């Protein structure tokens, strides 16, 4: 078992820059379907897992994918929520799954880039601090 894993999309990539002690299985632009297909069978067990998935989903499989991924995790889990203005349905799915498993949900930081999706450097630092 490893101590810490950061997994998911570009938000996970950015957060991982400030959690250097964590293993990372993240790729910018990846959706939950592709992440599940590529990484679920080889995902290591971790004491702490930080997940950012759902923001790049464009199909109706978000709930199924995220639930399947989450069911394989045994340690403490932090979910970074998708943007409320761009992905309200995926955001709700994350909240429901987190509640089911008694996980911690982390909302987007105040310091966001102009695209409204990605945090600034200060925002990524804030996300990383909230997962410790």
């Amino acid at each position: 078992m490893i101590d810490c894993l950061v997994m998911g999309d570009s938000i996970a990539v950015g957060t991982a820059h400030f959690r250097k002690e964590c293993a990372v299985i993240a790729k910018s632009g990846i959706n939950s379907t592709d992440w599940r297909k590529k990484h679920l069978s080889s995902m290591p067990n971790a004491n702490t897992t930080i997940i950012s998935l759902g923001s790049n989903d464009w199909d109706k499989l978000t709930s199924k994918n995220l639930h399947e991924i989450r069911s394989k995790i045994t340690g403490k889990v932090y979910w970074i929520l998708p943007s409320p203005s761009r992905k309200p349905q995926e955001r709700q799915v994350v909240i429901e799954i987190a509640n089911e498993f008694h996980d911690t949900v982390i909302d987007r930081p105040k310091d966001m880039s102009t695209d409204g999706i990605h945090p600034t450097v200060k925002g990524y630092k804030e996300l990383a601090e909230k997962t410790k």
Side-chain angles (χ1 to χ4, degrees), residues 14 36 40-41 95:
R36 182 184 52 76
L40 186 62
S41 64
I95 290 168

Side-chain angles (χ1 to χ4, degrees), residues 8 11 19 23 39 70 76 86 89 99 101 122 124 131:
I11 307 301
R19 291 294 309 267
H39 303 293
R70 176 56 186 91
K76 172 79 174 157
R86 299 190 50 132
Q89 292 171 323
N99 286 339
F101 288 92
K122 186 177 178 183
Y124 280 120
T131 64

Side-chain angles (χ1 to χ4, degrees), residues 62-64 66 88-98:
T62 303
S63 181
K64 176 186 175 288
L66 295 183
Q89 292 171 323
E90 287 76 4
R91 182 180 172 92
Q92 188 58 41
V93 166
V94 168
I95 290 168
E96 289 170 6
I97 293 170

